[in-house]
Amino acid sequence: MQKDFLPINGTDHIEFYVGNAKQASLYYQHCFGFSLVAYAGPETGVRDRASYVLQQNKIRFVLTTPLQPNSDIAAHVSRHGDGVKVLALWVDDATKSFNETVVRGAVPAFAPHTIKDEAGEVVLSAIHTYGDTIHTFVERKNYKGPFLPGYQSVKGSLQSKSVGLKYVDHCVGNVELGKMNTWVDFYEKVMGFSLLVTFDDKDISTEYSSLMSKVVSNGNGYIKFPINEPASGKKKSQIEEYLDFYTSPGVQHIAIATDDIIETVTALRERGVEFLRVPDTYYQDVLSRVGKINEDLEDLKRQNILIDRDEEGYLLQIFSKPVQDRPTLFFEIIERNGAKSFGKGNFKALFESIEREQALRGNL
Ligand code: FE2
C-alpha cells in the first residue's frame, strides 16, 4: 500500500465568518453547550476583526467577524451570510502538507509561515477547496497556548455546560450540478483521500427533489467529507436552494458525534435548538427495517431521533434546522453504534421533511 502523503491527526478547528461574532458566540455557548476559551480582537492588538474560540471536548469553533467594511471577511459575509470559511486540519507538518498538495494541483490560499507568542509557535498554510472555503493546515506540536499565537485565554460570562458533543464526525459540501466528481477527484488526487460511498438519485429522491452524493475519507478515516450535487426533480432540489442562498458551493452541514444522543438532543432542545421533524408514522415500522437496538423506541420517538443500520451496526441521528436566516448551514447530531455509514435509510423521510420547510420558505 502507498504511504499516506498527507497524514492528518483530525479536524483542528472550523472557522465561521459571521455578521456578529459576539452574539454568535453566545448562541453556540448557550444553545450548543460550548465554552468560550480564547479571543483575538482590538483588545489583543488585532485591528480588522474579532474572533471568538469555542470548545466542547474535541470540537473547536472559531467565530470571526469583520470590523471594517472593506475586507475579505466583510465581502464573505455580504456574499454568503454566516457560513464556514475554514475547515482546518491538524497535521504534524504544515509545510509538507502544503507542498504535497500544491504539487498535485491544489490552489494555494497562503504559503506556510510561522506565528509565535510566549506559548510557542504554530506553522500554518492553506489551500482552496470548493467555493470560497479553504483548508488550513495547522502544525501545533510546539505550541501550548489556548488556540493560536495572538489569541488570549478568556472566560465567557455564561456558565457553559457541555451537552455531550464529542468530535466532528463529518463535514458535508454542496457543489454545483455536474461538479461532484470534480471535487471527489480533487480529494482523491490532491489530498490522497479515497472514495467511501456513492449515493445516486435512486437512493436519494422524493417526488420533488433529489441529490447525488459521494463520500471521501482520508487514510486513517478521521476526516470524512461527503460531497453533494443537485439532481433533477420536479421541483427545486434542497441543494439548489442552498446554492441560491449561499450563492456558491460551501459547507452544508457539520455532523457532531455524541455518546448519548437522547441526553444530548434533550439538552439541545431545552436550550432552544430546533430540529427537522419526521412524522410519527416513521416509528411504526422502523424496527422491522433496523432490527434490535439498545435504546427504548419511545425515547427516540419523543425526541424524533432517526435510526439506520448497515453491515457493521446501527446509528442514531437528527438534523437541525438552518442556524442562520439563509437556508444554508445546519448541524447533524450522530451517535454511532458500530455503523460507519451516513443514514441512507433515513434519506427519504428526511428529505420530505426538508421539502416541507422549503415549501414554507416559498423555495420549492
Ligand atoms: Fe451527515
Side-chain angles (χ1 to χ4, degrees), residues 170 172 253 255 317 319 332 342:
H170 59 275
V172 183
H253 76 264
Q317 64 186 168
F319 296 84
E332 172 182 352
F342 297 86

Side-chain angles (χ1 to χ4, degrees), residues 45-120:
V46 178
R47 303 309 302 170
D48 67 334
R49 68 185 72 190
S51 298
Y52 296 74
V53 183
L54 304 172
Q55 195 153 0
Q56 184 168 178
N57 296 305
K58 288 184 177 167
I59 313 155
R60 193 152 43 196
F61 286 172
V62 182
L63 302 164
T64 293
T65 200
L67 299 176
Q68 300 293 338
N70 300 315
S71 73
D72 292 347
I73 306 169
H76 196 279
V77 172
S78 169
R79 177 165 185 210
H80 304 294
D82 289 5
V84 172
K85 173 65 185 181
V86 185
L87 291 171
L89 304 169
W90 173 29
V91 298
D92 289 332
D93 189 335
T95 307
K96 182 169 177 288
S97 301
F98 181 85
N99 292 337
E100 294 279 5
T101 49
V102 169
V103 79
R104 288 172 172 81
V107 178
F110 56 82
H113 61 278
T114 304
I115 50 174
K116 299 178 189 187
D117 66 11
E118 51 297 333

Side-chain angles (χ1 to χ4, degrees), residues 196-239:
L196 269 190
V197 236
T198 301
F199 304 105
D200 62 23
D201 49 1
K202 284 187 286 302
D203 296 318
I204 324 180
S205 73
T206 62
E207 190 190 350
Y208 290 142
S209 71
S210 54
L211 63 82
M212 311 260 271
S213 188
K214 287 185 176 178
V215 184
V216 291
S217 169
N218 79 318
N220 60 18
Y222 291 174
I223 307 293
K224 294 187 279 287
F225 291 151
I227 308 288
N228 297 332
E229 73 172 34
S232 53
K234 271 193 208 159
K235 294 204 176 177
K236 185 185 276 188
S237 156
Q238 53 168 301
I239 310 304

